[in-house]
Amino acid sequence: MKPVRALLAVLACLALAACGSSGEPAFPEGSTMARVQRSGMLTVGIKFDYPLFGFKDPGSGRITGFDAEMARLVAKDLTGSERNVRFVETLPVQREDFLRQGVVDIVVATYSITPARSRIVGFTNPYYYAGQDVLARAGDKRIDGVADLDGRAVCTTTGSTSLDRLRERVPGARLVIVDNSSECVPALTAGRIDAISTDDTILLGLVKRRPGALRLVGKPFGREPYGMGVRKEDVAFRDYLSGLIGRYLRDGQWDRAFRDTIGLSGATATQAKPPVDH
């Protein structure tokens, strides 16, 4: 039976990728994939304060959310275990610097793919689509869409596509710009601002933290493709990750990650899931 098992292992290995003597995929020498495989650890830039995507549990210290689960899938493919991942808190204004300086191997942090960013960052194919929306106080019925933000105090994050879109759509809004969307919540509940606007799934996470106090308007505008970011020149790593994303979309791993994270909020994956053949 042992020779049969060995033969099956070899055949399975060949079907998935070229394998080294250890049975692991044989990556090109000098590639990021080979370096991570050899070190046994993938370092990931992620947000720590975005429930449903990247959130550090204050009790256990575990990083939870959809982005975290996608990163763990990558770590498993590269190192053999989803536990071989080190998360580094990465604010929106730090993402490009952390990649360029080698602080992280990859950024998985609700990172919208834009033409400007693509000039300095290597983006994978989209692994998620979000829409920008508006969050208001539960009892405030004056805000029913983006047009109602004109003349009102609206909180959003620096360096984000949400900020750019607000400036374009509602130039009359009084923008309050912060590093993290979670910083907006105390100001909103206290009445110092009128609304928060960023990606809808991020806003769903904020609602989850303040049930009954906040209301998602539910009229998204704009579409945000999220990609995994790597160093601009690391084309081989970018293409490898895009291949993994395609497999996760086809084999059900994407669906399981969504179900266990964002799906817990009641959201559906209808608009969020990229086409499986992209």
Side-chain angles (χ1 to χ4, degrees):
M1 291 300 291
K2 287 184 178 180
V4 173
R5 291 195 191 100
L7 176 60
L8 290 175
V10 170
L11 291 175
C13 189
L14 292 172
L16 291 171
C19 296
S21 59
S22 66
E24 296 177 335
F27 296 115
E29 188 62 33
S31 67
T32 300
M33 298 87 77
R35 176 178 57 77
V36 172
Q37 183 186 67
R38 189 178 301 112
S39 70
M41 185 64 63
L42 177 71
T43 304
V44 178
I46 197 169
K47 295 175 179 177
F48 277 12
D49 66 337
Y50 276 43
L52 305 183
F53 273 91
F55 183 71
K56 185 175 182 178
D57 185 275
S60 67
R62 179 174 171 79
I63 311 302
T64 62
F66 184 74
D67 281 349
E69 291 310 302
M70 293 298 288
R72 289 186 174 103
L73 289 176
V74 173
K76 183 177 180 180
D77 274 291
L78 282 170
T79 72
S81 173
E82 66 175 23
R83 294 190 296 273
N84 296 334
V85 60
R86 183 171 70 92
F87 290 113
V88 176
E89 183 176 19
T90 305
L91 303 179
V93 296
Q94 297 172 320
R95 292 180 292 206
E96 289 83 14
D97 286 341
F98 277 15
L99 285 171
R100 186 167 50 247
Q101 296 165 7
V103 176
V104 299
D105 299 314
I106 179 177
V107 170
V108 190
T110 64
Y111 206 177
S112 298
I113 304 169
T114 69
R117 289 174 180 167
S118 295
R119 287 194 287 270
I120 55 177
V121 173
F123 279 109
T124 64
N125 292 337
Y127 68 90
Y128 191 91
Y129 283 104
Q132 188 169 345
D133 211 327
V134 177
L135 194 66
R137 287 182 292 278
D140 187 353
K141 305 303 181 184
R142 299 171 300 167
I143 299 176
D144 191 46
V146 63
D148 297 323
L149 300 180
D150 189 43
R152 303 191 188 281
V154 184
C155 192
T156 192
T157 52
T158 184
S160 67
T161 54
S162 298
L163 172 59
D164 296 337
R165 190 174 288 112
L166 286 169
R167 284 173 169 160
E168 178 183 347
R169 294 288 295 268
V170 279
R174 293 181 285 116
L175 298 179
V176 178
I177 304 170
V178 299
D179 286 335
N180 295 289
S181 294
S182 58
E183 298 175 44
C184 302
V185 176
L188 180 59
T189 55
R192 296 193 299 273
I193 62 172
D194 300 298
I196 305 171
S197 183
T198 186
D199 299 349
D200 49 9
T201 42
I202 294 171
L203 296 177
L204 278 170
L206 298 180
V207 171
K208 184 179 179 181
R209 295 174 67 179
R210 294 292 185 96
L214 304 175
R215 172 179 62 89
L216 184 67
V217 169
K219 296 181 178 179
F221 56 101
R223 199 179 190 209
E224 297 287 342
Y226 291 166
M228 298 179 184
V230 302
R231 285 175 286 283
K232 176 67 176 178
E233 65 276 11
D234 203 345
V235 176
F237 192 29
R238 180 202 67 193
D239 291 347
Y240 172 77
L241 293 170
S242 289
L244 291 183
I245 291 168
R247 173 155 61 82
Y248 301 155
L249 289 166
R250 292 189 298 271
D251 67 11
Q253 293 189 82
W254 189 100
D255 299 274
R256 285 192 291 275
F258 184 96
R259 179 198 64 201
D260 294 340
T261 56
I262 302 167
L264 298 177
S265 71
T268 63
T270 306
Q271 301 298 321
K273 186 175 182 179
V276 296
D277 57 348
H278 80 316

